[in-house]
Every structure is written in structure tokens, then in C-alpha cells.
Amino acid sequence: MLKEGEIRVLALGIVRDLAQRVFLSQGFDPDTEKHFYRAMGGGVEFGETSEAALKREFDEEIQAELTNIKYLGCLESIFTFNGKQGHEILFVYECDFVDPKFYHLSSINFPEKKRQKTALWVEIEKFKSGELKLVPEKFLTYL
């Protein structure tokens, strides 16, 4: 949820498979009427490390446990969503699912703040070619 004048701190996880796909959450901007894709994860709470937030968010959203968690870097993202400016600091991690069943699912629906969202496997090449939009765009360097 975007709050005016607030900088959000998020922890996001990149999970890849052997087929050159990445597991992402699909979003929709009602202002532009376009879909976009973003790594799974969420907000870091006060007193919580970004790695702990990453684990908690994956557990809360899709009941998935993570392993092989490796810190990749930090990004700053200033963007517009639904006609409002947003500002985020993103802690980026590479990780794997503990349960191999997640690598065989095509998608997972999950509730997030009064709306249904979908997480799915997407071919990395679709972002490199510009066919699909990854946010923030700088995130592509981690794929």
C-alpha cells in the first residue's frame, strides 16, 4: 500500500529454476491498465532483519520455506503506481524453495491486503526482450 511521503523497505527473493524461469508475483496498475511482474517478498517490520522478513513473507503469502539464501544487493526504486508516487528501498536475495513441489507448480493464488494475487514461473527471456515488464527495471541486472 502506497502512503504519501513514506519510504518503504522491502525484502525480495529471486527464485530460479533450471529452465531459465523466475518465480514472480504478477501485478496490475489500474492507472495504466498494464500488468507487471515483481519478485516475491514484502515489507521489513521494525526490529526485523531483511532476511527474516523475506522468510516470513514467503511463509505468509504462499506457505513456502526458503533455503540457500544469499544477499545480492540493495536497490532504490522511485516509481508511479495507480497515479501515485512511491519510493522503496529493496533488499534483494537469491534463494531456493525447500519443498521441490513449488518448482512443479505453474502458479499459486494468494491473498494480499484485500485482493487476490498470483505468483507464477516466467521465462527470464521475456523480460530481457521487453515482452513483459519487470519492476523495478533495474532488477533485471540480478536475473
mmCIF file of all heavy atoms in Angstrom, residues 78-117:
data_model
loop_
_atom_site.group_PDB
_atom_site.id
_atom_site.type_symbol
_atom_site.label_atom_id
_atom_site.label_comp_id
_atom_site.label_asym_id
_atom_site.label_seq_id
_atom_site.Cartn_x
_atom_site.Cartn_y
_atom_site.Cartn_z
ATOM 1 N N ILE A 78 12.079 4.584 -7.242
ATOM 2 C CA ILE A 78 11.101 5.668 -7.200
ATOM 3 C C ILE A 78 10.223 5.465 -8.429
ATOM 4 O O ILE A 78 10.727 5.380 -9.553
ATOM 5 C CB ILE A 78 11.789 7.045 -7.205
ATOM 6 C CG1 ILE A 78 12.675 7.172 -5.955
ATOM 7 C CG2 ILE A 78 10.750 8.157 -7.264
ATOM 8 C CD1 ILE A 78 13.544 8.413 -5.927
ATOM 9 N N PHE A 79 8.932 5.352 -8.228
ATOM 10 C CA PHE A 79 8.033 4.918 -9.298
ATOM 11 C C PHE A 79 6.648 5.537 -9.134
ATOM 12 O O PHE A 79 6.365 6.196 -8.120
ATOM 13 C CB PHE A 79 7.916 3.389 -9.272
ATOM 14 C CG PHE A 79 7.379 2.869 -7.955
ATOM 15 C CD1 PHE A 79 6.028 2.610 -7.798
ATOM 16 C CD2 PHE A 79 8.226 2.673 -6.874
ATOM 17 C CE1 PHE A 79 5.539 2.167 -6.581
ATOM 18 C CE2 PHE A 79 7.753 2.215 -5.661
ATOM 19 C CZ PHE A 79 6.391 1.965 -5.506
ATOM 20 N N THR A 80 5.798 5.299 -10.111
ATOM 21 C CA THR A 80 4.401 5.712 -10.043
ATOM 22 C C THR A 80 3.539 4.469 -10.188
ATOM 23 O O THR A 80 3.756 3.655 -11.082
ATOM 24 C CB THR A 80 4.065 6.718 -11.169
ATOM 25 O OG1 THR A 80 4.925 7.853 -11.037
ATOM 26 C CG2 THR A 80 2.616 7.172 -11.092
ATOM 27 N N PHE A 81 2.580 4.312 -9.273
ATOM 28 C CA PHE A 81 1.628 3.197 -9.314
ATOM 29 C C PHE A 81 0.248 3.758 -9.001
ATOM 30 O O PHE A 81 0.069 4.468 -8.015
ATOM 31 C CB PHE A 81 2.005 2.108 -8.301
ATOM 32 C CG PHE A 81 0.975 1.012 -8.212
ATOM 33 C CD1 PHE A 81 0.906 0.034 -9.190
ATOM 34 C CD2 PHE A 81 0.065 0.982 -7.171
ATOM 35 C CE1 PHE A 81 -0.052 -0.961 -9.128
ATOM 36 C CE2 PHE A 81 -0.887 -0.016 -7.097
ATOM 37 C CZ PHE A 81 -0.948 -0.988 -8.073
ATOM 38 N N ASN A 82 -0.701 3.443 -9.866
ATOM 39 C CA ASN A 82 -2.081 3.898 -9.695
ATOM 40 C C ASN A 82 -2.134 5.421 -9.538
ATOM 41 O O ASN A 82 -2.891 5.959 -8.743
ATOM 42 C CB ASN A 82 -2.737 3.204 -8.499
ATOM 43 C CG ASN A 82 -4.245 3.259 -8.566
ATOM 44 O OD1 ASN A 82 -4.836 3.542 -9.608
ATOM 45 N ND2 ASN A 82 -4.889 2.990 -7.446
ATOM 46 N N GLY A 83 -1.256 6.106 -10.290
ATOM 47 C CA GLY A 83 -1.246 7.556 -10.299
ATOM 48 C C GLY A 83 -0.564 8.212 -9.109
ATOM 49 O O GLY A 83 -0.567 9.433 -8.990
ATOM 50 N N LYS A 84 0.035 7.428 -8.208
ATOM 51 C CA LYS A 84 0.687 7.976 -7.018
ATOM 52 C C LYS A 84 2.169 7.616 -7.026
ATOM 53 O O LYS A 84 2.540 6.526 -7.441
ATOM 54 C CB LYS A 84 0.055 7.417 -5.746
ATOM 55 C CG LYS A 84 -1.380 7.823 -5.562
ATOM 56 C CD LYS A 84 -1.938 7.240 -4.290
ATOM 57 C CE LYS A 84 -3.412 7.584 -4.154
ATOM 58 N NZ LYS A 84 -4.000 6.943 -2.978
ATOM 59 N N GLN A 85 2.991 8.537 -6.540
ATOM 60 C CA GLN A 85 4.421 8.276 -6.470
ATOM 61 C C GLN A 85 4.731 7.359 -5.295
ATOM 62 O O GLN A 85 4.154 7.486 -4.221
ATOM 63 C CB GLN A 85 5.217 9.567 -6.332
ATOM 64 C CG GLN A 85 6.713 9.321 -6.404
ATOM 65 C CD GLN A 85 7.525 10.596 -6.443
ATOM 66 O OE1 GLN A 85 7.007 11.683 -6.260
ATOM 67 N NE2 GLN A 85 8.816 10.455 -6.688
ATOM 68 N N GLY A 86 5.662 6.435 -5.524
ATOM 69 C CA GLY A 86 6.132 5.540 -4.484
ATOM 70 C C GLY A 86 7.644 5.580 -4.408
ATOM 71 O O GLY A 86 8.324 5.973 -5.363
ATOM 72 N N HIS A 87 8.171 5.194 -3.254
ATOM 73 C CA HIS A 87 9.621 5.200 -3.040
ATOM 74 C C HIS A 87 9.934 4.005 -2.157
ATOM 75 O O HIS A 87 9.383 3.863 -1.063
ATOM 76 C CB HIS A 87 10.015 6.501 -2.344
ATOM 77 C CG HIS A 87 11.492 6.727 -2.268
ATOM 78 N ND1 HIS A 87 12.024 7.945 -1.910
ATOM 79 C CD2 HIS A 87 12.559 5.919 -2.500
ATOM 80 C CE1 HIS A 87 13.347 7.873 -1.918
ATOM 81 N NE2 HIS A 87 13.693 6.653 -2.263
ATOM 82 N N GLU A 88 10.818 3.129 -2.644
ATOM 83 C CA GLU A 88 11.144 1.899 -1.930
ATOM 84 C C GLU A 88 12.648 1.656 -1.899
ATOM 85 O O GLU A 88 13.356 1.995 -2.843
ATOM 86 C CB GLU A 88 10.481 0.685 -2.592
ATOM 87 C CG GLU A 88 8.974 0.726 -2.559
ATOM 88 C CD GLU A 88 8.319 -0.382 -3.361
ATOM 89 O OE1 GLU A 88 8.941 -0.899 -4.313
ATOM 90 O OE2 GLU A 88 7.173 -0.715 -3.045
ATOM 91 N N ILE A 89 13.096 1.049 -0.810
ATOM 92 C CA ILE A 89 14.448 0.526 -0.686
ATOM 93 C C ILE A 89 14.286 -0.989 -0.692
ATOM 94 O O ILE A 89 13.542 -1.541 0.125
ATOM 95 C CB ILE A 89 15.135 0.983 0.618
ATOM 96 C CG1 ILE A 89 15.124 2.515 0.737
ATOM 97 C CG2 ILE A 89 16.536 0.397 0.716
ATOM 98 C CD1 ILE A 89 15.895 3.245 -0.332
ATOM 99 N N LEU A 90 14.942 -1.671 -1.625
ATOM 100 C CA LEU A 90 14.748 -3.106 -1.828
ATOM 101 C C LEU A 90 16.019 -3.885 -1.501
ATOM 102 O O LEU A 90 17.059 -3.665 -2.117
ATOM 103 C CB LEU A 90 14.366 -3.375 -3.289
ATOM 104 C CG LEU A 90 13.229 -2.530 -3.861
ATOM 105 C CD1 LEU A 90 13.133 -2.726 -5.357
ATOM 106 C CD2 LEU A 90 11.930 -2.864 -3.172
ATOM 107 N N PHE A 91 15.919 -4.778 -0.515
ATOM 108 C CA PHE A 91 16.996 -5.717 -0.224
ATOM 109 C C PHE A 91 16.737 -6.949 -1.081
ATOM 110 O O PHE A 91 15.676 -7.563 -0.969
ATOM 111 C CB PHE A 91 17.018 -6.102 1.261
ATOM 112 C CG PHE A 91 17.493 -4.983 2.141
ATOM 113 C CD1 PHE A 91 16.603 -4.090 2.702
ATOM 114 C CD2 PHE A 91 18.854 -4.830 2.400
ATOM 115 C CE1 PHE A 91 17.043 -3.059 3.507
ATOM 116 C CE2 PHE A 91 19.305 -3.799 3.212
ATOM 117 C CZ PHE A 91 18.395 -2.909 3.768
ATOM 118 N N VAL A 92 17.684 -7.283 -1.954
ATOM 119 C CA VAL A 92 17.490 -8.345 -2.934
ATOM 120 C C VAL A 92 18.292 -9.588 -2.538
ATOM 121 O O VAL A 92 19.492 -9.498 -2.261
ATOM 122 C CB VAL A 92 17.920 -7.880 -4.343
ATOM 123 C CG1 VAL A 92 17.656 -8.967 -5.375
ATOM 124 C CG2 VAL A 92 17.194 -6.589 -4.726
ATOM 125 N N TYR A 93 17.595 -10.721 -2.533
ATOM 126 C CA TYR A 93 18.208 -12.004 -2.188
ATOM 127 C C TYR A 93 17.963 -13.011 -3.298
ATOM 128 O O TYR A 93 16.949 -12.957 -3.994
ATOM 129 C CB TYR A 93 17.592 -12.570 -0.900
ATOM 130 C CG TYR A 93 17.944 -11.795 0.331
ATOM 131 C CD1 TYR A 93 17.192 -10.701 0.736
ATOM 132 C CD2 TYR A 93 19.040 -12.160 1.103
ATOM 133 C CE1 TYR A 93 17.516 -9.995 1.880
ATOM 134 C CE2 TYR A 93 19.373 -11.456 2.255
ATOM 135 C CZ TYR A 93 18.606 -10.375 2.633
ATOM 136 O OH TYR A 93 18.943 -9.680 3.761
ATOM 137 N N GLU A 94 18.887 -13.940 -3.431
ATOM 138 C CA GLU A 94 18.698 -15.125 -4.278
ATOM 139 C C GLU A 94 18.403 -16.264 -3.305
ATOM 140 O O GLU A 94 19.006 -16.338 -2.231
ATOM 141 C CB GLU A 94 19.969 -15.398 -5.056
ATOM 142 C CG GLU A 94 19.864 -16.554 -6.012
ATOM 143 C CD GLU A 94 21.123 -16.658 -6.856
ATOM 144 O OE1 GLU A 94 22.226 -16.689 -6.291
ATOM 145 O OE2 GLU A 94 20.986 -16.703 -8.081
ATOM 146 N N CYS A 95 17.469 -17.130 -3.649
ATOM 147 C CA CYS A 95 17.112 -18.217 -2.740
ATOM 148 C C CYS A 95 16.464 -19.366 -3.514
ATOM 149 O O CYS A 95 16.178 -19.252 -4.698
ATOM 150 C CB CYS A 95 16.174 -17.711 -1.647
ATOM 151 S SG CYS A 95 14.802 -16.712 -2.240
ATOM 152 N N ASP A 96 16.256 -20.463 -2.800
ATOM 153 C CA ASP A 96 15.609 -21.652 -3.357
ATOM 154 C C ASP A 96 14.459 -22.062 -2.450
ATOM 155 O O ASP A 96 14.465 -21.765 -1.251
ATOM 156 C CB ASP A 96 16.599 -22.828 -3.433
ATOM 157 C CG ASP A 96 17.745 -22.569 -4.391
ATOM 158 O OD1 ASP A 96 17.498 -22.101 -5.511
ATOM 159 O OD2 ASP A 96 18.902 -22.841 -4.002
ATOM 160 N N PHE A 97 13.508 -22.785 -3.017
ATOM 161 C CA PHE A 97 12.443 -23.373 -2.219
ATOM 162 C C PHE A 97 12.968 -24.635 -1.551
ATOM 163 O O PHE A 97 13.690 -25.420 -2.175
ATOM 164 C CB PHE A 97 11.245 -23.757 -3.096
ATOM 165 C CG PHE A 97 10.477 -22.575 -3.623
ATOM 166 C CD1 PHE A 97 10.337 -22.389 -4.991
ATOM 167 C CD2 PHE A 97 9.870 -21.671 -2.772
ATOM 168 C CE1 PHE A 97 9.617 -21.315 -5.493
ATOM 169 C CE2 PHE A 97 9.157 -20.587 -3.265
ATOM 170 C CZ PHE A 97 9.024 -20.412 -4.627
ATOM 171 N N VAL A 98 12.591 -24.872 -0.300
ATOM 172 C CA VAL A 98 12.936 -26.116 0.384
ATOM 173 C C VAL A 98 12.133 -27.261 -0.224
ATOM 174 O O VAL A 98 12.677 -28.313 -0.544
ATOM 175 C CB VAL A 98 12.653 -26.009 1.909
ATOM 176 C CG1 VAL A 98 12.765 -27.374 2.579
ATOM 177 C CG2 VAL A 98 13.610 -25.013 2.562
ATOM 178 N N ASP A 99 10.832 -27.050 -0.418
ATOM 179 C CA ASP A 99 9.939 -28.087 -0.935
ATOM 180 C C ASP A 99 9.978 -28.077 -2.466
ATOM 181 O O ASP A 99 9.591 -27.085 -3.098
ATOM 182 C CB ASP A 99 8.519 -27.834 -0.441
ATOM 183 C CG ASP A 99 7.572 -28.976 -0.742
ATOM 184 O OD1 ASP A 99 7.833 -29.770 -1.667
ATOM 185 O OD2 ASP A 99 6.548 -29.067 -0.043
ATOM 186 N N PRO A 100 10.418 -29.172 -3.087
ATOM 187 C CA PRO A 100 10.511 -29.215 -4.551
ATOM 188 C C PRO A 100 9.168 -29.090 -5.268
ATOM 189 O O PRO A 100 9.142 -28.798 -6.460
ATOM 190 C CB PRO A 100 11.164 -30.570 -4.834
ATOM 191 C CG PRO A 100 11.035 -31.361 -3.599
ATOM 192 C CD PRO A 100 10.869 -30.412 -2.464
ATOM 193 N N LYS A 101 8.048 -29.252 -4.571
ATOM 194 C CA LYS A 101 6.731 -29.140 -5.222
ATOM 195 C C LYS A 101 6.530 -27.769 -5.861
ATOM 196 O O LYS A 101 5.853 -27.643 -6.875
ATOM 197 C CB LYS A 101 5.591 -29.423 -4.243
ATOM 198 C CG LYS A 101 5.262 -28.271 -3.322
ATOM 199 C CD LYS A 101 4.053 -28.530 -2.458
ATOM 200 C CE LYS A 101 3.738 -27.288 -1.624
ATOM 201 N NZ LYS A 101 2.645 -27.492 -0.720
ATOM 202 N N PHE A 102 7.148 -26.716 -5.277
ATOM 203 C CA PHE A 102 6.963 -25.370 -5.814
ATOM 204 C C PHE A 102 7.564 -25.218 -7.208
ATOM 205 O O PHE A 102 7.121 -24.377 -7.985
ATOM 206 C CB PHE A 102 7.552 -24.320 -4.863
ATOM 207 C CG PHE A 102 6.732 -24.146 -3.625
ATOM 208 C CD1 PHE A 102 7.084 -24.773 -2.446
ATOM 209 C CD2 PHE A 102 5.577 -23.371 -3.637
ATOM 210 C CE1 PHE A 102 6.331 -24.620 -1.296
ATOM 211 C CE2 PHE A 102 4.808 -23.207 -2.504
ATOM 212 C CZ PHE A 102 5.181 -23.844 -1.328
ATOM 213 N N TYR A 103 8.550 -26.038 -7.544
ATOM 214 C CA TYR A 103 9.163 -25.965 -8.869
ATOM 215 C C TYR A 103 8.283 -26.610 -9.946
ATOM 216 O O TYR A 103 8.532 -26.432 -11.131
ATOM 217 C CB TYR A 103 10.550 -26.626 -8.848
ATOM 218 C CG TYR A 103 11.538 -25.859 -8.011
ATOM 219 C CD1 TYR A 103 11.806 -26.245 -6.700
ATOM 220 C CD2 TYR A 103 12.179 -24.731 -8.513
ATOM 221 C CE1 TYR A 103 12.709 -25.529 -5.918
ATOM 222 C CE2 TYR A 103 13.074 -24.016 -7.741
ATOM 223 C CZ TYR A 103 13.335 -24.415 -6.442
ATOM 224 O OH TYR A 103 14.215 -23.693 -5.666
ATOM 225 N N HIS A 104 7.263 -27.334 -9.521
ATOM 226 C CA HIS A 104 6.373 -28.016 -10.469
ATOM 227 C C HIS A 104 5.020 -27.330 -10.618
ATOM 228 O O HIS A 104 4.218 -27.727 -11.464
ATOM 229 C CB HIS A 104 6.179 -29.482 -10.042
ATOM 230 C CG HIS A 104 7.471 -30.228 -9.940
ATOM 231 N ND1 HIS A 104 8.215 -30.591 -11.036
ATOM 232 C CD2 HIS A 104 8.174 -30.646 -8.862
ATOM 233 C CE1 HIS A 104 9.314 -31.216 -10.643
ATOM 234 N NE2 HIS A 104 9.315 -31.260 -9.326
ATOM 235 N N LEU A 105 4.750 -26.312 -9.811
ATOM 236 C CA LEU A 105 3.501 -25.568 -9.910
ATOM 237 C C LEU A 105 3.616 -24.528 -11.010
ATOM 238 O O LEU A 105 4.658 -23.887 -11.159
ATOM 239 C CB LEU A 105 3.197 -24.870 -8.584
ATOM 240 C CG LEU A 105 3.001 -25.757 -7.364
ATOM 241 C CD1 LEU A 105 2.893 -24.893 -6.107
ATOM 242 C CD2 LEU A 105 1.764 -26.616 -7.522
ATOM 243 N N SER A 106 2.550 -24.339 -11.756
ATOM 244 C CA SER A 106 2.597 -23.285 -12.770
ATOM 245 C C SER A 106 2.283 -21.930 -12.150
ATOM 246 O O SER A 106 2.839 -20.909 -12.547
ATOM 247 C CB SER A 106 1.643 -23.587 -13.923
ATOM 248 O OG SER A 106 0.329 -23.725 -13.431
ATOM 249 N N SER A 107 1.385 -21.907 -11.141
ATOM 250 C CA SER A 107 1.048 -20.660 -10.469
ATOM 251 C C SER A 107 0.423 -20.954 -9.105
ATOM 252 O O SER A 107 -0.041 -22.068 -8.852
ATOM 253 C CB SER A 107 0.087 -19.823 -11.315
ATOM 254 O OG SER A 107 -1.156 -20.477 -11.434
ATOM 255 N N ILE A 108 0.415 -19.930 -8.262
ATOM 256 C CA ILE A 108 -0.197 -20.005 -6.937
ATOM 257 C C ILE A 108 -0.966 -18.716 -6.727
ATOM 258 O O ILE A 108 -0.423 -17.623 -6.913
ATOM 259 C CB ILE A 108 0.870 -20.120 -5.821
ATOM 260 C CG1 ILE A 108 1.716 -21.366 -5.986
ATOM 261 C CG2 ILE A 108 0.200 -20.110 -4.443
ATOM 262 C CD1 ILE A 108 2.888 -21.425 -5.013
ATOM 263 N N ASN A 109 -2.236 -18.816 -6.339
ATOM 264 C CA ASN A 109 -3.022 -17.645 -5.980
ATOM 265 C C ASN A 109 -2.940 -17.454 -4.472
ATOM 266 O O ASN A 109 -2.983 -18.421 -3.718
ATOM 267 C CB ASN A 109 -4.475 -17.815 -6.410
ATOM 268 C CG ASN A 109 -4.599 -17.855 -7.916
ATOM 269 O OD1 ASN A 109 -3.984 -17.082 -8.618
ATOM 270 N ND2 ASN A 109 -5.393 -18.780 -8.413
ATOM 271 N N PHE A 110 -2.817 -16.204 -4.049
ATOM 272 C CA PHE A 110 -2.734 -15.921 -2.616
ATOM 273 C C PHE A 110 -3.343 -14.556 -2.318
ATOM 274 O O PHE A 110 -3.324 -13.659 -3.160
ATOM 275 C CB PHE A 110 -1.271 -15.987 -2.135
ATOM 276 C CG PHE A 110 -0.356 -14.971 -2.753
ATOM 277 C CD1 PHE A 110 -0.085 -13.771 -2.113
ATOM 278 C CD2 PHE A 110 0.252 -15.207 -3.980
ATOM 279 C CE1 PHE A 110 0.769 -12.836 -2.680
ATOM 280 C CE2 PHE A 110 1.112 -14.278 -4.552
ATOM 281 C CZ PHE A 110 1.364 -13.087 -3.894
ATOM 282 N N PRO A 111 -3.922 -14.412 -1.123
ATOM 283 C CA PRO A 111 -4.496 -13.114 -0.746
ATOM 284 C C PRO A 111 -3.414 -12.160 -0.255
ATOM 285 O O PRO A 111 -2.472 -12.567 0.404
ATOM 286 C CB PRO A 111 -5.451 -13.481 0.402
ATOM 287 C CG PRO A 111 -4.853 -14.701 1.003
ATOM 288 C CD PRO A 111 -4.155 -15.437 -0.115
ATOM 289 N N GLU A 112 -3.561 -10.892 -0.623
ATOM 290 C CA GLU A 112 -2.648 -9.861 -0.129
ATOM 291 C C GLU A 112 -3.428 -8.564 0.026
ATOM 292 O O GLU A 112 -3.878 -7.988 -0.961
ATOM 293 C CB GLU A 112 -1.466 -9.651 -1.084
ATOM 294 C CG GLU A 112 -0.463 -8.653 -0.529
ATOM 295 C CD GLU A 112 0.660 -8.353 -1.494
ATOM 296 O OE1 GLU A 112 0.442 -7.532 -2.415
ATOM 297 O OE2 GLU A 112 1.739 -8.931 -1.326
ATOM 298 N N LYS A 113 -3.612 -8.148 1.271
ATOM 299 C CA LYS A 113 -4.290 -6.882 1.579
ATOM 300 C C LYS A 113 -5.594 -6.710 0.795
ATOM 301 O O LYS A 113 -5.713 -5.824 -0.044
ATOM 302 C CB LYS A 113 -3.360 -5.709 1.345
ATOM 303 C CG LYS A 113 -2.166 -5.714 2.270
ATOM 304 C CD LYS A 113 -1.243 -4.558 1.995
ATOM 305 C CE LYS A 113 -0.032 -4.690 2.891
ATOM 306 N NZ LYS A 113 1.122 -4.002 2.408
ATOM 307 N N LYS A 114 -6.537 -7.564 1.036
ATOM 308 C CA LYS A 114 -7.899 -7.471 0.483
ATOM 309 C C LYS A 114 -7.998 -7.727 -1.010
ATOM 310 O O LYS A 114 -9.000 -7.412 -1.640
ATOM 311 C CB LYS A 114 -8.529 -6.109 0.808
ATOM 312 C CG LYS A 114 -8.634 -5.806 2.275
ATOM 313 C CD LYS A 114 -9.263 -4.447 2.490
ATOM 314 C CE LYS A 114 -9.299 -4.112 3.964
ATOM 315 N NZ LYS A 114 -9.890 -2.801 4.202
ATOM 316 N N ARG A 115 -6.957 -8.287 -1.616
ATOM 317 C CA ARG A 115 -7.053 -8.617 -3.043
ATOM 318 C C ARG A 115 -6.316 -9.924 -3.306
ATOM 319 O O ARG A 115 -5.430 -10.321 -2.568
ATOM 320 C CB ARG A 115 -6.510 -7.494 -3.922
ATOM 321 C CG ARG A 115 -5.052 -7.207 -3.674
ATOM 322 C CD ARG A 115 -4.552 -6.089 -4.574
ATOM 323 N NE ARG A 115 -3.137 -5.958 -4.352
ATOM 324 C CZ ARG A 115 -2.551 -4.856 -3.963
ATOM 325 N NH1 ARG A 115 -3.232 -3.774 -3.802
ATOM 326 N NH2 ARG A 115 -1.251 -4.821 -3.766
ATOM 327 N N GLN A 116 -6.689 -10.570 -4.378
ATOM 328 C CA GLN A 116 -6.042 -11.827 -4.782
ATOM 329 C C GLN A 116 -4.868 -11.509 -5.692
ATOM 330 O O GLN A 116 -4.973 -10.683 -6.592
ATOM 331 C CB GLN A 116 -7.025 -12.728 -5.524
ATOM 332 C CG GLN A 116 -7.920 -13.551 -4.636
ATOM 333 C CD GLN A 116 -7.160 -14.580 -3.827
ATOM 334 O OE1 GLN A 116 -7.059 -14.458 -2.626
ATOM 335 N NE2 GLN A 116 -6.620 -15.590 -4.463
ATOM 336 N N LYS A 117 -3.758 -12.176 -5.462
ATOM 337 C CA LYS A 117 -2.590 -12.023 -6.316
ATOM 338 C C LYS A 117 -2.192 -13.394 -6.831
ATOM 339 O O LYS A 117 -2.594 -14.414 -6.284
ATOM 340 C CB LYS A 117 -1.439 -11.392 -5.530
ATOM 341 C CG LYS A 117 -1.785 -9.981 -5.094
ATOM 342 C CD LYS A 117 -0.644 -9.079 -4.895
ATOM 343 C CE LYS A 117 0.143 -8.822 -6.115
ATOM 344 N NZ LYS A 117 1.220 -7.890 -5.974
#
